[in-house]
Structures are given as C-alpha cells and as structure tokens.
Amino acid sequence: MVRALTHGRLPDSRERILLDDLDQTHFDEASPQAEPDGSTPAAKRVFIKTFGCQMNVYDSERMSEVLAAEGYVETDTPDDADLAILNTCHIREKAAEKVYSDLGRLRDIKSARAKGGKETLITVAGCVAQAEGEEIVRRAPAVDLVLGSQSYHRLPELLGRLRGGEAALVETAFPDEDKFQALPERATAKAVTAFLTVQEGCDKFCTFCVVPYTRGMEYSRPVASLVDEAQRLVQRGVRDITLLGQNVNGYHGEGLDGASTTLAGLIGRLAAIEGLLRIRYMTSHPRDMSDALIEAHAREGKLMPYLHLPFQSGADRVLAAMNRKHTAANYLALIARIREGRPDIALSTDIIVGFPGETDADFEATLALVREADFAHAFSFKYSPRPGTPAATMDGQVPEEVKRQRLERLQEVIDAGYRRFNGACVGKRLPVLFEKVGRHAGQLVGRSPYLQLVHAVADPALIGHVVDVEIRTAEPNSLSGVICGQS
Ligand code: SAM
Ligand code: SF4
C-alpha cells in the first residue's frame, strides 16, 4: 500500500484540515509484475512526505498511483525506502527551509543504506523544486531528482534514467503535454472524501505570493476529464469531493460542448453524478466570485454551505500594495450578497499580518473586518518575504516581534469566532457524512455541511452515509452529538 504522509505546520491553519482529511486517504495494494521465471520480485518501497496545501496532497496521491503501477509499496519511514520523495511547499520561508533539514536526514539514511548495498533515490518535488531547481542539488548533493509539479507523470521514465546511471536530473520545465492525460486512472481505495484538482496556477500576481512563479499561469482542466475522474472516485465510494485550485473560482475549462465553462457550470455538471452527495471547492479569490456561483450556493443542494474566501487585509492601502484589486468595503458587500442567498453559509478566510508598510491602524482595520464578517474559520499568517516577489523588497518591512504580537491578537479574535460558530450549533440537528471510525470505542467521525468535525456513537455501517446528528457539545475544533435518523 502506498500512502502519502503530510507535515502539519501551524496549529490553527489549513494543515489541520489537511491532516484530518489525509487519515482517510488510502491507496490500493500494488501488485508487482511477476519475474519471467514466475517468482515475485521484492517490492520497491517509496516514502512520500507532503508539505503544504491540499493541492500537494492531491499531487502526492497521484504520484503514489503512478508508482503503485510500477510496483512500489508504501513505507511510512524513510529508513527502508528505495525512493524518498519530499513534495514541498514554498509559500512561506519556514516551509521551504524545513525541506533542507529533512534532506540532511535523508542524506544520512542514504549513506547508511549504501553501506549495506542498498540504493536510495531522493526526489524533491513540488513548489520548492519548481522555485529553486538546480540550487537544490547544489545545496543538497544527495538529491537525485528535482521534479516540478507539472512533470510528475514522468516519474517512471526519470527513475529509469537515474537507475541507468544518469547524474542528478532537474525537471522543472512546464511541458507541452497535459500531465492529467498522462496519469493512470484514479486508483484510490474506498474513501468517503477526495480532492480533485480542477485548476492550477494563477495570473493574479499578489505582490506577496510565489504561486504564479511556482505553479505558472492559470490552467483549467476540461469538464469531460473531471467528470470522468469524479465518476471513478464515486464508484470507489467517494461521496464528498472538494474541487481544488489556486484560484478555483476562476475556473474556465473546456465544456462538453467545446465552449468555456465556469466553476458554477462545472459544479452543475458534477452535481448530476448519482452517488456524489457533497461538493466543495477551494481556494477562491473575491474578484472571481461570479453571480452564477453565488446563485449556485443558493440553489444547488449538493454544494455545501462552506466558502473559503481570503481577504488578506482589512486596510485598503495594504490591499492596493498587495495588488488584491478589492477593498474592505467591497469584500463585505460581496459576503453580504452571498449570505442573502445562503444565510447559513460558513465563511472562512486567509489573513496576512505584517505586510510591508502595515501600520497599527491598518492592523486594527483587519481586526475590525474579522469582527464584522463573523467568520466561522480563518487561517492567519505572518507575512514572509519570498524571494523574487515584489513585496520582498518593499520599504517598511515589519519587525518579526510586531508581526508575532499582531498574529497573537488576531488569533484571539478568530478563536472567539470558532467558539461562537460551533457553540451556535449545540441543540441543532446537522446532517453528518460519516467518514471513518473515531478514536473512542463505538465512535464514528464525520463532517457537517459546514466542514466541522462531528463525533457520534454509531454503527460503522453508516460510514459513507449522511445521518442527522443532534449536536450536544461544541469544542473549538469539533462537535459531538447523538444520531437522530438517517436521511
Ligand atoms: N489564491 C488564494 C487567494 O487569492 O487568496 C490564496 C492561495 S495561497 C496558496 C494561500 C495563502 O497563503 C494566501 O491566501 C495567503 O494568506 C498566504 N500567503 C501567501 N503568500 C504568503 C507570504 N508571502 N507570507 C505569508 N502568507 C502568505
Ligand atoms: Fe497567490 Fe492567490 Fe494572489 Fe494568486 S490570487 S497570487 S495564488 S494569493
């Protein structure tokens, strides 16, 4: 079995969702081809560690599928891995630097295994690979392969070349072929939830962000390929699909009729798949929140009432310097329109504190926006200068200590929002899609429509079903309740 591991970063960030979701991500047993003499070759082992966002989790799953077809089996420790892959994140400095400390450990494992005659190939994939390319091999010569996010379908060929004696390979170009066409069919084992990347890259060039440089220009997958992938997931037991994209609501893929389709159109098409019960999407930009998508939240029953809509700062001056092209007032007006159509929608957001030039008054404006918008959830970050982005060389860089204090104050306000939102659910009946068994005997864990984790004592046969749960208690990060009846 090949399984992707992940690396949580911040206690109250999107990584928490990512870790929870990962628990129920499984991969098929690989079945190595028989040798010509009929004997079964020793399986090769792969260790994959995933850093960063859900899009990397999706990419790690797809890499695992490519490798499973080549006879690789899972290992959850690098010590016995023939192939170790770090699928990396470059969004903030800390995330990128962690990769180098992990590479130090992998280098030691590689040389210890080499003494026993065993080979270990080390691959750096994902956004650090894309951003740093050959620099990685210079800093960490034990690395065999630097693999950009558009090239991982070529893993078997590249590993073959390395085993054939070629020296370190750096594959970070954006190839002409569509990697999604070249990947094997989805082979994830039975799972209730899944990610589906529908869009990659970004053309918005917010001045703090590396994504346009690491993931390239916006690309949307055609509807036909997405419907096909979603149908296969549903056949394997998936009931809840989260559509992923760096700017997912800017989706504009080729429709079944050849014309460009919006995210609202794609959601409508996916909602017609029998057996698919819930659809979510992330991450969205306020500028791409179209009328049709707002309307879909009001009308499409399978589209869950949860929306992640980053605003970044409550100060218009800072938003302009970030190149966000929205103001605090039009963000608030936008969420008011969304709530008109779907009053119970749970809103989530991303916020950066300490962007260059951010004053105390600007920060107070951010706090005021958080209070007014009444978010159910939020991810908050200290600004991290990223090489090559315009903000990294702007005047007025904010001292670390000021950023730390602002983040602490902001997180208090955010936490009060979690408590309010979860507390308001006590006494309500929520339809919960059960995903897996919980830690305590007899308990199942599922998600409410608002993406909250819900625990209840229930029959494991209910995994994959939506059941009404009466909520009895609320913690900041989860709810508990008792089952009322199956819907
Ligand atoms: N596309 C989404 C949007 O427009 O807001 C965001 C995607 S980005 C991968 C995820 C989040 O990381 C951003 O919303 C932002 O809050 C945060 N982020 C990006 N660059 C950052 C930086 N240099 N320092 C701190 N946080 C950053
Ligand atoms: Fe980065 Fe999002 Fe801005 Fe694109 S829209 S540059 S992904 S923050």
Side-chain angles (χ1 to χ4, degrees):
M1 197 163 77
V2 180
R3 195 185 65 182
L5 299 179
T6 194
H7 186 93
R9 288 202 300 272
L10 300 168
D12 274 316
S13 73
R14 86 182 58 224
E15 283 75 16
R16 172 172 294 166
I17 295 176
L18 187 154
L19 276 164
D20 292 336
D21 279 321
L22 203 73
D23 284 352
Q24 43 74 49
T25 305
H26 305 287
F27 294 82
D28 274 353
E29 293 291 337
S31 31
Q33 301 290 313
E35 294 285 305
D37 66 1
S39 66
T40 309
K44 289 168 279 182
R45 292 175 184 276
V46 59
F47 169 78
I48 302 181
K49 181 166 173 177
T50 308
F51 297 77
C53 66
Q54 289 88 340
M55 295 195 67
N56 270 10
V57 174
Y58 176 87
D59 286 347
S60 289
E61 289 179 12
R62 302 307 308 262
M63 280 193 264
S64 299
E65 288 164 3
V66 170
L67 292 165
E70 297 291 305
Y72 278 86
V73 295
E74 171 201 20
T75 174
D76 54 13
T77 157
D79 298 310
D80 61 359
D82 303 287
L83 171 63
I85 300 178
L86 301 181
N87 191 13
T88 60
C89 171
H90 201 248
I91 200 88
R92 282 168 289 277
E93 189 181 2
K94 236 189 200 162
E97 280 308 314
K98 281 211 174 100
V99 172
Y100 285 101
S101 63
D102 275 21
L103 283 175
R105 277 197 294 280
L106 288 179
R107 177 202 54 212
D108 296 345
I109 291 170
K110 181 174 179 156
S111 62
R113 279 172 51 86
K115 284 184 192 131
K118 290 180 189 147
E119 183 185 53
T120 314
L121 293 177
I122 301 178
T123 294
V124 178
C127 293
V128 175
Q130 201 70 57
E132 300 192 5
E134 288 181 6
E135 172 67 8
I136 296 176
V137 184
R138 202 190 55 75
R139 268 183 80 176
V143 170
D144 299 284
L145 176 60
V146 177
L147 186 67
S149 23
Q150 297 309 322
S151 300
Y152 59 75
H153 58 294
R154 294 181 52 215
L155 261 172
E157 170 218 328
L158 298 167
L159 294 174
R161 280 169 55 190
L162 288 168
R163 294 214 161 92
E166 283 193 48
L169 298 172
V170 177
E171 292 291 331
T172 52
F174 287 87
D176 289 339
E177 79 264 20
D178 177 358
K179 76 172 175 226
F180 293 106
Q181 297 284 348
L183 288 167
E185 279 176 10
R186 295 306 306 268
T188 43
K190 275 190 163 296
V192 175
T193 67
F195 294 133
L196 174 54
T197 292
V198 305
Q199 180 272 332
E200 287 190 303
C202 178
D203 305 346
K204 295 215 163 42
F205 290 95
C206 298
T207 54
F208 52 81
C209 184
V210 288
V211 168
Y213 311 95
T214 55
R215 289 275 178 165
M217 296 294 97
E218 277 186 35
Y219 164 75
S220 298
R221 294 177 62 187
V223 173
S225 134
L226 293 168
V227 169
D228 182 60
E229 192 170 328
Q231 273 166 341
R232 285 176 202 284
L233 289 168
V234 171
Q235 278 158 15
R236 299 184 79 91
V238 168
R239 298 289 171 258
D240 178 333
I241 293 183
T242 301
L243 310 178
L244 299 180
Q246 264 95 19
N247 257 312
V248 72
N249 60 342
Y251 174 86
H252 56 272
E254 184 189 332
L256 299 178
D257 58 358
S260 175
T261 300
T262 61
L263 185 65
L266 174 67
I267 289 170
R269 186 63 197 75
L270 295 175
I273 297 176
E274 209 179 316
L276 178 60
L277 305 178
R278 294 180 165 189
I279 301 171
R280 308 174 187 274
Y281 63 92
M282 74 185 324
T283 294
S284 295
H285 193 293
R287 273 169 68 196
D288 290 329
M289 215 52 222
S290 67
D291 290 347
L293 195 51
I294 295 173
E295 177 81 5
H297 274 289
R299 305 226 176 281
E300 178 47 70
K302 290 189 181 180
L303 181 58
M304 289 297 99
Y306 177 91
L307 174 62
H308 184 67
L309 194 62
F311 76 88
Q312 314 296 0
S313 168
D316 289 348
R317 215 174 50 78
V318 175
L319 287 169
M322 287 176 163
N323 192 31
R324 288 292 290 182
K325 307 245 168 58
H326 59 81
T327 62
N330 58 38
Y331 181 87
L332 287 168
L334 175 62
I335 62 174
R337 278 178 56 216
I338 297 166
R339 280 179 168 144
E340 247 169 57
R342 186 75 212 225
D344 66 330
I345 197 161
L347 291 176
S348 155
T349 198
D350 290 345
I351 307 158
I352 295 177
V353 297
F355 184 81
E358 184 189 72
T359 61
D360 285 343
D362 294 332
F363 174 64
E364 292 300 329
T366 295
L367 290 181
L369 198 153
V370 175
R371 290 193 185 100
E372 188 168 349
D374 196 16
F375 293 107
H377 196 248
F379 303 102
S380 49
F381 310 102
K382 287 188 286 183
Y383 168 69
S384 167
R386 307 309 296 128
T389 59
T393 50
M394 281 179 185
D395 291 340
Q397 299 289 328
V398 175
E400 264 316 294
E401 180 54 20
V402 175
K403 288 187 206 171
R404 196 193 57 74
Q405 287 170 9
R406 287 181 186 166
L407 189 68
E408 211 175 282
R409 280 190 62 203
L410 174 60
Q411 286 182 340
E412 279 169 21
V413 179
I414 291 171
D415 286 353
Y418 291 175
R419 283 195 293 273
R420 214 171 28 251
F421 188 79
N422 283 355
C425 294
V426 174
K428 285 190 182 157
R429 280 181 170 212
L430 296 182
V432 172
L433 173 59
F434 283 117
E435 295 177 8
K436 58 189 174 186
V437 293
R439 263 187 229 134
H440 301 296
Q443 191 189 55
L444 296 187
V445 187
R447 296 259 178 201
S448 76
Y450 313 109
L451 205 63
Q452 297 146 300
L453 273 179
V454 182
H455 299 97
V457 170
D459 184 339
L462 292 177
I463 291 175
H465 295 269
V466 175
V467 181
D468 277 352
V469 173
E470 188 182 310
I471 304 302
R472 296 281 169 86
T473 57
E475 302 293 328
N477 296 309
S478 67
L479 305 173
S480 299
V482 292
I483 284 192
C484 308
Q486 202 167 329
S487 57

